[in-house]
Structures are given as structure tokens and as C-alpha cells.
Amino acid sequence: MLRTGLFLKLLGSYLALVVLCAAFFGFYQQSWMLRESERSCDRLLASRSRFLADLCSHEFEAGQDLSRTCSRIERACKELGVRFALIDAEGSILADSSSGAPLGSPSDLRSTEVSVRGPSGEPLMMRVSIGNPDLDEELAALWSNVLVVGGFAFLLAGMFGYIVAKQLAGPIDAIKSAATVVASGDYRARVDIRSGDELGELGQAFNRMASELGRRMETITTDRNKLLTILGGMVEGVIAIDAQERVLHLNAVAARWLGASREAAAGQLIWEVTRKVEVCEALAQALTNRDEVHEEIVLVDSREDQILELVAAPLLDSRGESAGAVVVLHDVTKLRKLEVVRSDFVANVSHELKTPLTVILGAVETMLDDEESMPKEIRQRFLKKVLEQSHRLSSLVSDLLVLSRVESATRSQDFTKVDLRKILAQSMQGLLPVAEKKSICFEEQSPESAAVLVGDPEALRQVVDNLLDNALKYSESGERVTARISRSGDRIRFEVEDTGIGIAPQEQQRIFERFYRIDKARSRKLGGTGLGLSIVKHIVLAHGGKIGVDSAPGRGSTFHVEFPATA
């Protein structure tokens, strides 16, 4: 579209220039004509005033009276196109030819005064005036010509100005349209200006700029998408704010932890997005002090409190000024729980090791102090205690080694197909003497078809042994322990049911923890280390299975394990 402001300005400038030039020419010509008219009048006035003065002097010298002389001079003035007035020494007008032929506008008359002698020789003053009666017509003709020529020049300038304005405004309008397209985000816009002047160079520079801008924006967009993908895939929560504490970015993890909406958070103040004071204060501190902030915060949840490690750092611009801040939230809940578990484990291991060592140390010191006088029976009793506690230490160390191995092991490539019925038969055969000694009914219920799964035979034997051994330990004489194997679809289920003392509901979730005992005194009396069920749990999980317990106080317990079956 060529009728832009620039086009109209260019065309208007050309036309205004023509008008100004025509007006200047007209006024210049008018001024020149006026000056030439004045010069011509002055020359005529000088010659004709001398002629009239000589005529007047000649008439008076010839003896003519004043009236006849004035009449003759008046006739001469009409022929010469001038006016005259004869004035005496007192200023009185003796004669005046103002009623003669018109000389033009009174303001345009040129006058001069010459001295003459009157009839009696008295001094008189003759005033002669001359004008140009055709001057107004000449000026009118001048302006008429100026208007005609100026109008013609106006038309020519209009056509020429239209062409030039079109050539100038067209490329600029094309650049403006292309710039508008580029500003809207389409960097493919180009201008086609083939002239070799500055406009052509401007068009080429614009095309290079658009191409480079498109390339850089594509790079920025790619980098931004990569960054958003990385931030979106992070397990840490990330929040970024600008210098006015308005949210620039909030990834999904941070939004979930803080209970905020990612879409609604953009552009809002951080205090409006989350009411978590520690997060807001850490960002404000990093923004104000331009220093990193490290601390831990706790998110209170209805199910479980969450511990987050918070690291806030300032964002600086190219000048080193603070442009915002970013905070990274890392969930350390599991780590802190592991630290507690580790601490508890160390404490439990120390306690479990200390008890038998104390007994052994006490017994040995007693025997050494009373080496000569101690009766043989007492010495044997002390040595028996040392042996018992040594066996207890050996069992504890063995269980710890087994637990360490099953916790750190992954699914082994040496797993083979195992028939769980055979493992159960071997375990029951080995524990049958214990059941007979306590008069416990020891039963097995297995399917006729094979119960085959892929696993470590030794580890599976330890699972079966531990569950059966626990059931026998906590069952009294005359009670029953039943081991059964069943298959349902692609799962093999192994159960150990007893009719012993049972387990309270609040204890059932903790019995698989290391060193956890419901009745510590009875467990130690029975020789338990508190690691058996924890070992069973880790072995089952390593085989892709799951373990659980159904129990009630006074009604016995049923431990059940499920494994994925194989053909």
C-alpha cells in the first residue's frame, strides 16, 4: 500500500516546493518591476521637471503673466503625463494641474521640486509629480502568468513527485511490512529490492538481519526447549523468579510439592504461588544478598512429612546485576530415613554384639580370677555359657553377612529352575526332629504338579527354613504347624501356618525390620537374632515376589510368600 505517511509527505514536499518557488518568482518579479518603475519615473521626472522649469522661466521672462504661463505649463503637463504645482514663498499654491490626466495611485507618485523666478522676480517653487498608471495592470498580468506557469509546473511536479515518492516509499513500505511479519514471529519474511542505491543496501541488510535473527531465535528456542525438557524431567523441584519476585519458571515436581499450578504461577509473585515461607524467604535472600542459601525444610503432609534440601542462588545479567533468583528443591526424605535406619542398625548391632561379648568376657574373667579354687562343675557351667554366647555371636555374624549379601545382590544370571516342593520337603525333613521334640504336629500340603520357579536354590531354602523355624519356635507342645504350596495362574504361593501366640496388628508391619522383636526376652531365649524375617523379605523381593502375614493374638499366624511361576 503506497498511500502511507511517507508517500504523502514526499509528494506533498514536491508540490509545496513548486508552490513556494512560483510564489518566490512572482514576488521577485513584482519587486523588480516596482524598482524598474521607480527608476524610470525618476529619470522622466528629472528631465521633465527641468523642461517645465525652463518653460516657466522663459514665459515669465517674456513678460507673460502668471495665468497665461500656468495655462501653457498645464497643457505641457498633459502632453508629458506629469502634474505640477506652483507655490510661492509663503507656501500658498498659485497654480495646480491635479485635474489633469490620471497618473496612477497617489502612493505610487514620484515628486521633485525646482526653484523658478516669478514675473516680478520673486522666488517660486515648482513641484512636479509623475506616476505609472499602467503599473497595476502590469502586476496583474505578471501574477496571471505566474499562476498559469505555476499551475503547469504544479502538475508536472505532481506527476514527477508521484513517481519519485512511489520509488522511495514503495521499498520502505515493503521493509515495514516485512518487519511487521518478522515482529510477529515469522522470520522467513524477505524484501525484494533490486536497486543499487541505499534503499537496495537497506533491503539486503534487512534480509541478512531477518535471516540471522531467525537462526538465533531457532537456536534460542531449541536451547529453551532442551532446558524445559531437562527441568521437566528432573526429580528435583526448580523455581525461578525475576528481580520483581515474579515466577519465571516452575517445573512439575516443584508445583506438585508446593501444591501450585504451573500454568497459573507464571508471572505471579512467589508469595502468591506458595505460602511456604522458607522457600519465599530463601529466594528473597538470594535476590537481595546475591549469595547462595542452603537449608532443609519440612513439608507437612497428611500421609507423611517430606524433608527437602533447599539451595537458592542469584541469577545475574550480563552486567553482573541481580536479575532474579533460582531455587532447587531435592527430596532427601529417603536419605534421612536411611540415615536413621543406619544409625539404628549400628546401635542394634552394637547392642546385639555387646550382650554376648559381655557374658563371654564376664565368664572368662571370673574363671581366670578363681582359676585354682573354682569347682569343676561351675567351670563347666561358665564354659557352657561361653560356648552358647559364641554360637549366638556366630549366628549373628552369619545372619549379618547373609543380609548384606541379599540386600546388595541383583537378580543373578545363575538362577535356575527350582521345584519349590523339593525345597520344602528337604526343610521339613531337617526340622522334623525339632517338631517331634516339642510334640508339634508338622504338616505339609503340596500340589501333585510341580511348583517350578526361577531362583537361587540356597536362598529359597533359607526362606523356607526361616519361616518354618520361626513357626516351630513360637509354637507350644501339642500345637500345629502347616506348610502348604499352591499355584494360581502365573503365581506360586507358599504359606506357613501355626496355631501359636499370634501377632498384634500394630506389630505386623515392623516384624520384617532388622533386629525388631516383639518379645525381646523370649526371642533371645529361643536363640533368635532378629534378622531372620528381614533376610526372608529381601530374598523374596530379589526373586520378584512379595511377602505378608495374617495374624491375630491367640489365634496363630500365617506367613505367605508369592513368587512368579515358570513353565
Side-chain angles (χ1 to χ4, degrees):
M1 183 178 181
L2 294 177
R3 292 188 178 182
T4 61
L6 179 61
F7 174 79
L8 296 177
K9 288 178 182 178
L10 290 173
L11 182 59
S13 299
Y14 278 112
L15 298 179
L17 181 62
V18 171
V19 172
L20 290 175
C21 288
F24 175 78
F25 176 77
F27 283 112
Y28 176 80
Q29 285 295 105
Q30 176 178 294
S31 176
W32 180 82
M33 290 178 68
L34 291 174
R35 289 195 305 271
E36 289 298 314
S37 177
E38 290 176 356
R39 294 192 190 99
S40 177
C41 289
D42 288 342
R43 289 192 298 271
L44 289 173
L45 184 60
S47 64
R48 291 176 182 179
S49 62
R50 286 193 302 270
F51 172 78
L52 292 175
D54 292 342
L55 178 62
C56 183
S57 297
H58 177 73
E59 289 292 326
F60 285 143
E61 290 176 358
Q64 298 292 334
D65 59 8
L66 180 63
S67 176
R68 288 179 63 87
T69 299
C70 289
S71 297
R72 186 167 180 185
I73 292 174
E74 186 173 352
R75 287 194 300 271
C77 287
K78 288 182 179 180
E79 293 176 0
L80 296 175
V82 298
R83 292 178 184 176
F84 88 101
L86 197 60
I87 306 170
D88 60 13
E90 296 178 354
S92 300
I93 299 176
L94 302 177
D96 185 8
S97 65
S98 60
S99 59
L103 302 179
S105 174
S107 62
D108 295 330
L109 293 179
R110 308 288 291 178
S111 301
T112 188
E113 296 177 348
V114 293
S115 298
V116 296
R117 293 289 179 175
S120 302
E122 71 275 16
L124 298 177
M125 181 68 67
M126 178 182 288
R127 179 181 295 163
V128 181
S129 300
I130 191 171
N132 187 358
D134 298 327
L135 181 61
D136 291 339
E137 293 181 1
E138 292 175 357
L139 292 176
L142 169 66
W143 282 111
S144 177
N145 292 333
V146 168
L147 289 176
V148 172
V149 175
F152 183 71
F154 186 86
L155 292 176
L156 289 179
M159 291 186 292
F160 179 75
Y162 179 86
I163 295 173
V164 173
K166 180 178 178 180
Q167 291 178 347
L168 293 176
I172 295 177
D173 188 66
I175 293 175
K176 184 199 74 172
S177 301
T180 302
V181 174
V182 170
S184 67
D186 186 1
Y187 303 102
R188 298 170 298 175
R190 298 291 184 273
V191 293
D192 185 15
I193 302 176
R194 301 181 181 180
S195 61
D197 55 9
E198 288 80 358
L199 287 176
E201 294 177 359
L202 178 61
Q204 294 175 6
F206 177 85
N207 290 337
R208 289 194 300 269
M209 180 197 70
S211 177
E212 181 66 17
L213 187 61
R215 186 185 66 80
R216 293 191 180 186
M217 288 302 299
E218 183 178 357
T219 301
I220 292 173
T221 302
T222 302
D223 292 343
R224 180 177 179 273
N225 291 336
K226 289 180 180 178
L227 180 61
L228 291 177
T229 302
I230 292 172
L231 292 176
M234 289 176 62
V235 296
E236 293 84 3
V238 180
I239 308 169
I241 63 171
D242 60 15
Q244 287 72 42
E245 299 189 14
R246 296 188 179 276
V247 175
L248 297 175
H249 179 76
L250 177 72
N251 72 348
V253 177
R256 183 174 69 252
W257 287 347
L258 301 179
S261 171
R262 293 183 62 191
E263 293 75 13
Q268 288 190 352
L269 293 171
I270 185 63
W271 301 91
E272 298 174 349
V273 175
T274 177
R275 298 298 181 183
K276 198 63 182 175
V277 177
E278 293 88 343
V279 175
C280 299
E281 289 182 347
L283 285 169
Q285 184 177 346
L287 185 62
T288 304
N289 300 337
R290 297 171 61 180
D291 196 8
E292 291 190 358
V293 179
H294 297 264
E295 61 179 86
E296 284 190 2
I297 63 175
V298 179
L299 299 182
V300 180
D301 191 273
S302 58
R303 295 170 298 176
E304 183 181 20
D305 291 348
Q306 190 175 16
I307 304 173
L308 301 179
E309 183 181 43
L310 180 151
V311 179
L315 295 175
L316 303 180
D317 58 17
S318 58
R319 298 172 298 176
E321 299 293 333
S322 181
V326 62
V327 65
V328 178
L329 303 173
H330 181 61
D331 188 357
V332 294
T333 306
K334 292 184 178 179
L335 180 61
R336 296 295 176 263
K337 287 184 177 179
L338 288 175
E339 290 177 353
V340 173
V341 170
R342 183 188 62 181
S343 177
D344 291 344
F345 178 73
V346 172
N348 288 328
V349 169
S350 300
H351 179 73
E352 294 296 331
L353 291 175
K354 183 179 180 180
T355 301
L357 284 175
T358 301
V359 174
I360 293 173
L361 183 60
V364 172
E365 287 179 348
T366 302
M367 287 189 293
L368 289 176
D369 291 341
D370 199 11
E371 183 179 1
E372 297 180 356
S373 60
M374 178 177 291
K376 183 178 180 180
E377 295 80 7
I378 297 177
R379 182 182 298 275
Q380 290 295 325
R381 191 167 70 243
F382 274 100
L383 290 174
K384 186 177 180 180
K385 286 184 178 291
V386 170
L387 181 62
E388 291 175 353
Q389 296 302 320
S390 298
H391 285 308
R392 182 179 174 187
L393 280 175
S394 177
S395 299
L396 181 60
V397 171
S398 297
D399 286 347
L400 285 173
L401 291 175
V402 171
L403 181 62
S404 176
R405 179 174 61 84
V406 298
E407 282 185 343
S408 60
T410 57
R411 185 176 178 87
S412 174
Q413 296 180 352
D414 297 331
F415 279 10
T416 59
K417 290 185 177 181
V418 180
D419 188 350
L420 194 58
R421 297 180 307 166
K422 295 181 178 179
I423 293 178
L424 176 59
Q426 293 172 0
S427 295
M428 293 192 68
Q429 186 67 30
L431 292 172
L432 184 60
V434 178
E436 292 178 346
K437 183 178 180 180
K438 296 183 66 174
S439 301
I440 295 175
C441 181
F442 208 23
E443 296 180 350
E444 175 190 359
Q445 298 177 4
S446 298
E448 294 181 359
S449 60
V452 180
L453 58 95
V454 176
D456 182 353
E458 292 299 324
L460 293 174
R461 172 67 183 271
Q462 192 163 14
V463 170
V464 176
D465 283 347
N466 282 354
L467 292 179
L468 291 176
D469 184 59
N470 280 348
L472 292 174
K473 284 180 179 178
Y474 292 95
S475 297
E476 301 297 336
S477 177
E479 294 182 344
R480 185 179 67 256
V481 172
T482 303
R484 63 176 66 91
I485 297 175
S486 60
R487 178 165 181 169
S488 175
D490 60 349
R491 307 292 291 181
I492 294 177
R493 185 180 178 94
F494 170 62
E495 296 180 353
V496 176
E497 179 183 1
D498 64 63
T499 57
I501 58 177
I503 305 171
Q506 65 271 18
E507 307 285 352
Q508 293 179 16
Q509 293 298 323
R510 301 198 61 190
I511 58 175
F512 296 102
E513 296 178 7
R514 290 170 292 190
F515 297 112
Y516 185 80
R517 298 182 179 90
I518 299 174
D519 187 344
K520 293 181 174 57
R522 182 173 183 178
S523 177
R524 289 194 181 96
K525 180 180 179 181
L526 295 174
T529 62
L531 296 174
L533 289 178
S534 181
I535 293 173
V536 169
K537 174 184 175 182
H538 283 88
I539 293 176
V540 171
L541 293 178
H543 284 74
K546 57 183 180 179
I547 185 171
V549 60
D550 298 322
S551 181
R555 295 193 302 178
S557 304
T558 300
F559 285 84
H560 50 82
V561 179
E562 289 188 4
F563 296 104
T566 186

